Amino acid sequence: MKLSKLDLGNVVAIAHSQGHLQLLLDLGNELEFIEIPAPVAAFEGLQHLNEIVAEAKDLPAYEQSIAMLPMNSSMANAIGYDGDRNILQIEFHNGAVYQYSDIDQDTWQDLHQADSIGKFFNENVRGKYQYKRIDDDYC
């Protein structure tokens, strides 16, 4: 089975008529009506999906992964940064992966460009920011 990411946020309404699934889409500045040849089961499946989503109260948070850059460092295998969330992520040589919170863009740039990643990390990050371990092996 192959899963695909699905975003139905712009679907306003659905219907089924004469072998066609009918969708009303919100395009932001206008509505668009489209028809797709589909069995009535497709319509029923979408209705059922809508019921499931409506009943879900607290969905688990989905955290987007952080792109990691391989490093030639005595301390880390890779480092990455999420500027939207100000999170620094480091994969250490022992396989442990940590995320450090509230890291500003300047600190990230300085770390990324440092002659010694380990020295910069020890002097400017370790013990100064909140962190959590996120790798599956030890969590």
Side-chain angles (χ1 to χ4, degrees), residues 13-86:
I14 60 171
H16 192 272
S17 178
Q18 299 177 344
H20 286 82
L21 183 62
Q22 300 169 326
L23 302 163
L24 184 60
L25 306 176
D26 182 354
L27 302 179
N29 57 348
E30 65 181 352
L31 296 175
E32 180 180 0
F33 178 79
I34 61 171
E35 289 186 306
I36 304 168
V40 72
F43 170 70
E44 292 167 348
L46 285 172
Q47 281 185 312
H48 183 67
L49 177 62
N50 185 53
E51 292 167 6
I52 292 170
V53 171
E55 290 175 7
K57 293 188 172 41
D58 293 320
L59 295 176
Y62 169 74
E63 289 196 23
Q64 189 173 9
S65 62
I66 296 174
M68 299 294 284
L69 302 169
M71 288 288 115
N72 184 12
S73 165
S74 60
M75 181 198 77
N77 291 329
I79 61 174
Y81 182 68
D82 180 335
D84 293 333
R85 297 183 292 160
N86 292 346

Side-chain angles (χ1 to χ4, degrees), residues 8 34 40 57 70 78 81 85 92 96 106-107 122 129 132 139:
L8 299 175
I34 61 171
V40 72
K57 293 188 172 41
Y81 182 68
R85 297 183 292 160
F92 293 93
D106 290 338
T107 302
N122 287 326
Y129 295 91
K132 67 179 177 179
C139 291

Side-chain angles (χ1 to χ4, degrees), residues 5 59-67 81-82 84-89 97-101 131-136 139:
K5 186 175 180 180
L59 295 176
Y62 169 74
E63 289 196 23
Q64 189 173 9
S65 62
I66 296 174
Y81 182 68
D82 180 335
D84 293 333
R85 297 183 292 160
N86 292 346
I87 295 175
L88 168 67
Q89 183 167 298
V97 180
Y98 285 84
Q99 287 185 343
Y100 296 82
S101 303
Y131 63 90
K132 67 179 177 179
R133 189 168 184 169
I134 65 162
D135 57 291
D136 293 333
C139 291

